[in-house]
Amino acid sequence: MNRIAKAYDFARSPCAAASTLDIVGDKWSLLVIRDLLRGKKTYGELQESYERIPTNILADRLRRLEEAGIIEKSAYQERPVRFAYALTAKGTDMGDILLALVRWGKKHIPGTQAVDIAKRESPAPARTPVASARNPAKARRK
Amino acid sequence: MNRIAKAYDFARSPCAAASTLDIVGDKWSLLVIRDLLRGKKTYGELQESYERIPTNILADRLRRLEEAGIIEKSAYQERPVRFAYALTAKGTDMGDILLALVRWGKKHIPGTQAVDIAKRESPAPARTPVASARNPAKARRK
DNA sequence: ACCTGCGCTTGCAATGTGCAAGTGACTGGC
DNA sequence: GCCAGTCACTTGCACATTGCAAGCGCAGGT
């Protein structure tokens, strides 16, 4: 029985910081959000991040984040059904938290880099524009 | 063997966000920092936060945070030796992260409050048997 | 001597994490 | 029709971390 902040019945306290940590207070959630902010969309892309999140953990975090209304899952094509994950407005707002983490890291942990999360206004996600990479043009029916 | 970011050999990646999360990426560390920012000093005071951190976890987090150079432990009196924990500059810089968390929580989790990180006394619900631990000089009478 | 408070430590069960392997829906090639 | 391959997960199991309660050592007070 999973009950990580069923959203709105604070698990621990009415403190905003504590409640936010109930949602993303673990080592992976915010990294998933980071990757989504940087333009990754599919399960497979998320799995291939530098940090190599274990697949079952990724599935679990995506489920939780979706329950919390931070991301949304949708099929971007039907006939092999393929899914895309995207941040909701609530989710993109987490960018500020990521930014604060990055700033602290850059300042206090020598050798770390920004990996540019601040994609919020910059163009080109640099890597494969997933949606068009595939060509689902041929709607072959059964 | 425990090696949660010995600080400076990145456990997972050179990404600043990931490295920062290696240090404070759990449910309790940042709450301890929050309490220290708000003026709490002793082990006992930290234990009595609203969220009721388990004592062994608190001891462990204080140890890790000290190793990471985020807090400092010192005896504030010798005979009965009593300890005070305080944030280093590196630690107070984490205030920005807390602030980002609080802002997100206030905006997206109805019912949460700010609990004003920038100093303030007794936010916890009245049932504080700790009385005035902030006055070691005198008075402990009932 | 005994009790109390502080600052922890220890034991142990419950929970969470990480790895590898497997599954099922589908497609494309032979 | 059969097989290999991809995507998106799920399952099983070992190991690590958490949470709870209790205990411990060192003071001081009575």
Side-chain angles (χ1 to χ4, degrees):
Chain A
M1 235 48 82
N2 197 343
R3 57 171 304 90
I4 193 191
K6 209 183 174 90
Y8 317 169
D9 65 344
F10 344 111
R12 286 191 294 181
S13 97
C15 168
S19 302
T20 306
L21 286 170
D22 281 335
I23 301 173
V24 293
D26 70 282
K27 274 210 282 284
W28 293 111
S29 299
L30 281 165
L31 292 186
V32 170
I33 292 167
R34 174 200 64 182
D35 287 344
L36 291 170
L37 275 169
R38 290 178 55 225
K40 294 193 178 181
K41 296 189 184 91
T42 65
Y43 191 93
E45 286 176 318
L46 290 167
Q47 251 194 113
E48 273 152 30
S49 67
Y50 187 96
E51 294 87 4
R52 298 275 139 187
I53 180 168
T55 177
N56 55 334
I57 304 287
L58 176 57
D60 181 68
R61 290 306 114 91
L62 288 171
R63 203 179 306 120
R64 289 186 192 189
L65 291 174
E66 198 183 357
E67 271 171 39
I70 285 160
I71 63 175
E72 267 171 356
K73 180 185 185 175
S74 60
Y76 65 84
Q77 67 174 47
E78 276 309 324
R79 284 242 51 124
V81 61
R82 293 283 181 265
F83 300 106
Y85 293 92
L87 292 163
T88 59
K90 205 168 157 181
T92 50
D93 274 358
M94 287 239 166
D96 292 341
I97 298 169
L98 258 317
L99 232 47
L101 286 166
V102 166
R103 269 198 286 264
W104 191 91
K106 285 191 72 175
K107 183 169 177 187
H108 294 289
I109 312 178
T112 54
Q113 307 153 25
V115 193
D116 241 330
I117 304 176
K119 246 20 179 185
R120 334 186 37 160
E121 294 179 89
S122 303
R127 274 186 142 332
T128 34
V130 179
S132 55
R134 297 277 162 185
N135 189 347
K138 292 211 293 187
R140 190 191 295 238
R141 290 200 307 131
K142 210 62 172 306
Chain B
M1 261 352 71
N2 195 344
R3 48 142 38 347
I4 196 187
K6 209 180 173 95
Y8 317 173
D9 65 343
F10 345 110
R12 287 191 294 180
S13 97
C15 169
S19 302
T20 305
L21 287 170
D22 282 336
I23 301 173
V24 293
D26 71 281
K27 273 209 283 286
W28 294 110
S29 299
L30 281 166
L31 292 186
V32 170
I33 292 167
R34 173 201 64 181
D35 287 344
L36 291 170
L37 276 169
R38 288 178 52 228
K40 293 192 178 182
K41 295 192 188 92
T42 67
Y43 191 93
E45 285 175 318
L46 291 167
Q47 250 194 111
E48 272 148 33
S49 66
Y50 187 96
E51 294 88 4
R52 299 273 140 187
I53 180 168
T55 177
N56 55 334
I57 304 287
L58 176 57
D60 181 68
R61 290 305 114 93
L62 289 170
R63 205 178 304 119
R64 288 187 192 190
L65 291 173
E66 197 183 358
E67 270 170 40
I70 285 160
I71 62 175
E72 269 172 353
K73 180 184 186 177
S74 59
Y76 66 84
Q77 65 173 48
E78 277 308 324
R79 300 228 43 118
V81 61
R82 292 284 180 265
F83 300 105
Y85 293 92
L87 291 162
T88 60
K90 203 167 158 182
T92 51
D93 274 358
M94 288 238 166
D96 292 342
I97 297 168
L98 259 317
L99 231 48
L101 287 167
V102 166
R103 270 196 286 262
W104 191 92
K106 286 192 71 177
K107 183 169 177 187
H108 295 287
I109 312 177
T112 55
Q113 310 154 22
V115 193
D116 219 335
I117 286 172
K119 207 102 180 179
R120 206 163 131 200
E121 294 300 302
S122 90
R127 37 102 171 291
T128 337
V130 65
S132 56
R134 294 177 57 42
N135 191 347
K138 198 110 193 67
R140 192 71 253 270
R141 199 86 199 94
K142 215 270 108 161

